[in-house]
Amino acid sequence: MKKNLKKNKKIKNNMSKLSFFSPTQGKLSFDQVVNEITSFISKNPHQVYRLIVGTDSEGKKNPSFVSAIVIYCQGKGGRYFWQKINFKKTFHTLREKIYQETMLSLKLATKLRKALEKKLKKNYKDLEIHTDIGQVGETKDMIKEIVAMIKGNGFQPKIKPEAFGATNVADRCLK
């Protein structure tokens, strides 16, 4: 138990140090990402926005994980920001990788929600977490537990095919 807490604390500290990247803005800090999101929302404050966090990975030995933040204004387009995390570890099962992806998304979404609520004075209970699991394939047996984990942390889960934050945005940034 103590070992897992130390690992999670180490992951959290490493995530804080990592830069984000934006196709339009380049390299950004987390605070700059929050500022970009608030600026994007303030341009059309009465529009409907979706705030999404998704993570995808590739490789079993020393895998790379990409977590993406997407702000989407329905009917008007959106912006995305991503960060890449490289692990010096071997993930022996798909289950281990999916859990790690989910934990990275949860940690980032929690941090993002706190920062946006503080800055915008608005509750972000509808923040979505997109997961790379679905009804077809090896991950179908994990749906209930992953969805419960996300809901239990106060976020809205999305699975394939609706999980574009993980399956399209984060996946594209892995390449």
Side-chain angles (χ1 to χ4, degrees):
M1 181 79 161
K2 286 183 181 179
K3 197 178 205 180
N4 287 340
L5 290 174
K6 284 182 182 179
K7 281 183 185 177
N8 285 339
K9 196 171 190 178
K10 188 176 181 180
I11 290 168
K12 186 177 181 181
N13 290 338
N14 288 340
M15 283 179 65
S16 299
K17 295 175 187 174
L18 293 173
S19 296
F20 282 84
F21 298 91
S22 162
T24 56
Q25 301 293 317
K27 188 175 177 180
L28 301 169
S29 70
F30 177 77
D31 290 337
Q32 288 172 314
V33 169
V34 171
N35 289 337
E36 289 294 321
I37 291 170
T38 57
S39 174
F40 184 74
I41 292 170
S42 68
K43 289 178 183 171
N44 292 300
H46 301 294
Q47 295 292 323
V48 176
Y49 292 92
R50 290 175 65 189
L51 187 57
I52 299 156
V53 172
T55 303
D56 197 10
S57 63
E58 69 177 3
K60 285 186 177 185
K61 187 175 181 181
N62 302 325
S64 296
F65 290 79
V66 168
S67 292
I69 298 171
V70 179
I71 182 72
Y72 176 69
C73 181
Q74 292 183 297
K76 307 268 185 200
R79 300 185 66 193
Y80 69 93
F81 311 89
W82 59 275
Q83 69 179 178
K84 190 172 192 174
I85 303 167
N86 295 308
F87 279 76
K88 293 182 180 177
K89 175 183 175 176
T90 299
F91 287 83
H92 299 284
T93 65
L94 178 60
R95 180 175 294 280
E96 283 181 279
K97 279 181 57 174
I98 295 296
Y99 267 95
Q100 188 62 61
E101 289 175 10
T102 305
M103 290 306 297
L104 290 170
S105 288
L106 285 170
K107 287 177 195 299
L108 180 56
T110 299
K111 184 178 177 181
L112 180 62
R113 178 169 56 192
K114 285 179 185 176
L116 287 172
E117 285 177 351
K118 184 177 179 182
K119 190 154 181 114
L120 295 174
K121 311 283 191 264
K122 180 183 175 191
N123 184 351
Y124 276 95
K125 61 180 179 172
D126 293 333
L127 197 149
E128 299 174 16
I129 293 190
H130 290 198
T131 63
D132 196 15
I133 60 175
Q135 297 287 345
V136 179
E138 298 175 64
T139 60
K140 66 183 172 194
D141 295 333
M142 299 178 67
I143 292 173
K144 284 183 183 177
E145 57 196 281
I146 297 295
V147 166
M149 197 164 108
I150 293 168
K151 282 184 177 180
N153 281 279
F155 299 103
Q156 302 296 317
K158 296 288 183 184
I159 64 170
K160 292 176 186 176
E162 297 175 340
F164 66 87
T167 60
N168 292 78
V169 178
D171 179 69
R172 181 180 335 142
C173 296
L174 272 168
K175 310 302 179 205

